[in-house]
Amino acid sequence: MTNVLDQLREMTTVVADTGEVAAVKKYEPVDCTTNPSLVLKALTDPASEDLVARELDAARKAGLTAEQAVEVLTVAMGAELAALVPGRVSTEVDACLSFDTEKSVARARDIIAEYDRRDVSKDKVLIKLASTWEGIRAAEILQSEGIDCNLTLLFSMAQAVACADAKAFLISPFVGRITDWYKKAEGRDSYAPDEDPGVKSVRGIYDYYKSNGIDTVVMGASFRNTDQIKALAGCDNLTIAPALLDEMANDPADLPRVLSPDNASGVAPIAMDEATFRWQMNADAMATEKLAEGIRNFDADHQKLIKVIADRM
């Protein structure tokens, strides 16, 4: 009997939400995704010890600052992961640039250049940007240059529509963080999968995209449990933490397909400009708060990573 993970792979591209080499080798995902939080975890991964030591030694000899060393190390880890997966590796633009289109574009180009220096072509990389108005504009520019983007920290339909208009390659709508917000706001301990606000958000975005022939890949992210994952079976991509991958690999239950382009409702397209985007985000307390919190947390982990590397150098 096949397990839930094997069944999911038949209908959805499974992405490993980790930067740890051992986990990627174990679960053999199509793609993998990373951010400062995951790079911090990867620093304690025995499989990455030699790479970290080698890169930090090269950074010291080149006279790089700790911040520059982090930039190089992040790509070095991404390059190692790129050799292990058949698909893409997402690499994040610094969260502190989330409200600066020009600097986000420049940083993205630097990331691609560093990958190229390591013989990793841009078609193996996704540039990860926060789904702010400025981040989405940066993605629009990068996409026009043939640099594919992953728009992350996405919590609302307004963000999803703007990303589609920018022709982003992929979006990462978050599930668990939406659920966390509503549990606190509504005083709930849990939700049935079909009532889960995070699940319902991704289902709505998926339906909008499929109803309007939008090519942007929908990749559900930020899961708290396997029930949320099962409730989105059939979504284009799902990025899943190793612990939940393990749980599904040991679950012999049948997994019915929930999402399919064939079941799109035909919902009408939504017009989106900057004023509409900002108004709709302002009207959505959850999306506004979780986007801001996510950017702050990614930046905090980035600063922590710089300090760890500075101490090692």
Side-chain angles (χ1 to χ4, degrees):
M1 183 181 293
T2 60
N3 58 55
V4 167
L5 182 56
D6 287 340
Q7 293 172 74
L8 181 65
R9 282 179 165 144
E10 291 177 3
M11 59 186 98
T12 290
T13 297
V14 174
V15 179
D17 197 5
T18 179
E20 295 182 13
V21 171
V24 172
K25 287 181 176 177
K26 177 180 179 181
Y27 297 105
E28 299 181 340
V30 174
D31 298 342
C32 56
T33 183
T34 189
N35 58 43
S37 315
L38 297 174
V39 173
L40 272 169
K41 290 180 183 177
L43 287 178
T44 61
D45 178 11
S48 297
E49 280 181 10
D50 289 345
L51 180 147
V52 172
R54 184 172 66 249
E55 292 297 328
L56 292 188
D57 184 56
R60 277 190 291 268
K61 289 177 179 176
L64 300 185
T65 64
E67 187 168 1
Q68 290 170 326
V70 165
E71 293 175 358
V72 172
L73 177 60
T74 300
V75 173
M77 287 184 166
E80 185 172 23
L81 294 170
L84 298 176
V85 296
R88 310 275 195 130
V89 175
S90 288
T91 302
E92 190 155 302
V93 166
D94 309 351
C96 62
L97 303 179
S98 295
F99 302 100
D100 191 320
T101 296
E102 187 176 324
K103 288 183 179 178
S104 291
V105 170
R107 178 76 187 100
R109 288 171 179 156
D110 287 345
I111 290 170
I112 293 298
E114 182 64 23
Y115 270 113
D116 184 65
R117 192 174 72 81
R118 295 170 184 274
D119 297 322
V120 177
S121 63
K122 65 182 180 181
D123 61 3
K124 287 283 290 182
V125 180
L126 290 178
I127 294 296
K128 205 169 179 184
L129 296 149
S131 298
T132 57
W133 182 258
E134 294 81 5
I136 295 167
R137 298 281 67 77
E140 186 172 39
I141 293 167
L142 293 165
Q143 289 289 163
S144 72
E145 297 176 358
I147 298 172
D148 288 334
C149 298
N150 170 356
L151 273 297
T152 190
L153 294 176
L154 194 148
F155 302 97
S156 72
M157 183 61 77
Q159 291 171 294
V161 171
C163 289
D165 291 347
K167 295 182 167 47
F169 180 85
L170 179 148
I171 60 168
S172 297
F174 280 32
V175 177
R177 296 192 197 190
I178 292 177
T179 308
D180 293 345
W181 190 93
Y182 278 100
K183 282 168 68 175
K184 183 177 180 181
E186 297 180 352
R188 296 277 296 265
D189 291 328
S190 63
Y191 295 91
D194 289 343
E195 297 177 352
D196 188 308
V199 169
K200 289 167 70 175
S201 177
V202 176
R203 286 181 176 178
I205 291 166
Y206 179 91
D207 182 60
Y208 178 82
Y209 276 26
K210 302 315 174 189
S211 293
N212 290 283
I214 294 164
D215 292 332
T216 300
V217 175
V218 179
M219 182 172 75
S222 167
F223 294 104
R224 298 294 179 255
N225 54 64
T226 58
D227 284 343
Q228 291 176 328
I229 297 167
K230 293 175 183 178
L232 294 173
C235 192
D236 299 331
N237 292 20
L238 295 173
T239 179
I240 305 169
L244 296 179
L245 289 172
D246 221 23
E247 188 176 333
M248 289 191 299
N250 291 298
D251 184 349
D254 287 332
L255 180 68
R257 182 165 189 149
V258 180
L259 300 182
S260 170
D262 297 336
N263 298 329
S265 69
V267 63
I270 299 169
M272 187 64 60
D273 57 16
E274 182 177 357
T276 304
F277 177 89
R278 294 196 185 282
W279 176 254
Q280 290 190 8
M281 288 295 290
N282 181 72
D284 189 335
M286 176 277 297
T288 295
E289 290 173 21
K290 298 310 287 186
L291 173 61
E293 177 187 72
I295 291 170
R296 288 195 303 270
N297 288 344
F298 278 156
D299 183 59
D301 279 342
H302 184 226
Q303 297 305 320
K304 183 177 178 181
L305 184 57
I306 291 171
K307 186 178 186 308
V308 169
I309 296 303
D311 291 343
R312 291 199 185 188
M313 292 178 71

